[in-house]
């Protein structure tokens, strides 16, 4: 199983960016998917999660600015980021809880991360 993230880059304050992450490999089903981020010198933190049925959860710092969504048939999760601020600069990691067989528990998989830089 692999998670491939894409869409990071450089954006000015107030700008927008969308990152995506596709899961591939031997997948029976995917439970929750999410995005985390790690800024320089800081610990990795939760950004947003989305359940299999579309229930979402956001960190207070990104509420009303970021939107997480997923397309189940494509095993893909998206993060639309609007009104980006300097403090949003970080490596963004996608996460998915994946079952490879119907009888096995979900295991957390991580993508390699994509860099988002907010700078003027």
């Amino acid at each position: 199983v692999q998670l491939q993230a894409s869409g990071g880059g450089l954006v000015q304050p107030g700008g927008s960016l969308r990152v995506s992450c596709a899961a591939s490999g031997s997948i029976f089903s995917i439970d929750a998917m999410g995005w985390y981020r790690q800024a320089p010198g800081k610990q990795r933190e939760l950004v947003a999660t989305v359940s299999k049925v579309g229930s979402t959860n956001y960190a207070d710092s990104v509420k009303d600015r970021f939107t997480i969504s997923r397309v189940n048939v494509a095993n893909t999760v998206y993060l639309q980021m609007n009104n980006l601020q300097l403090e949003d600069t970080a490596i963004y990691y996608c996460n998915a809880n994946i079952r490879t067989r119907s009888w096995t528990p979900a295991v957390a998989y991580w993508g390699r991360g994509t860099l988002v830089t907010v700078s003027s």
Side-chain angles (χ1 to χ4, degrees):
V1 174
Q2 289 187 331
L3 298 183
Q4 182 65 50
S6 61
L10 174 65
V11 63
Q12 292 185 338
S16 297
L17 205 61
R18 188 176 82 156
V19 292
S20 61
C21 177
S24 62
S26 180
I27 297 172
F28 174 76
S29 67
I30 303 178
D31 294 343
M33 303 182 82
W35 289 94
Y36 293 72
R37 67 186 181 186
Q38 187 166 17
K42 295 188 176 182
Q43 291 188 334
R44 189 175 298 189
E45 64 176 3
L46 169 72
V47 176
T49 62
V50 57
S51 73
K52 191 173 184 177
V53 296
S55 298
T56 58
N57 178 55
Y58 295 92
D60 288 341
S61 60
V62 306
K63 278 181 182 176
D64 300 324
R65 298 190 298 124
F66 291 10
T67 302
I68 189 170
S69 61
R70 63 189 282 176
V71 177
N72 289 334
V73 295
N75 293 332
T76 301
V77 62
Y78 301 94
L79 184 68
Q80 175 67 43
M81 302 179 285
N82 297 330
N83 191 22
L84 282 158
Q85 304 299 312
L86 297 177
E87 55 266 29
D88 295 317
T89 295
I91 299 175
Y92 284 71
Y93 297 91
C94 60
N95 164 270
N97 295 288
I98 297 174
R99 299 174 187 270
T100 55
R101 299 288 187 271
S102 61
W103 60 87
T104 58
V107 174
Y109 289 87
W110 293 87
R112 296 184 67 178
T114 184
L115 178 62
V116 172
T117 303
V118 184
S119 175
S120 56

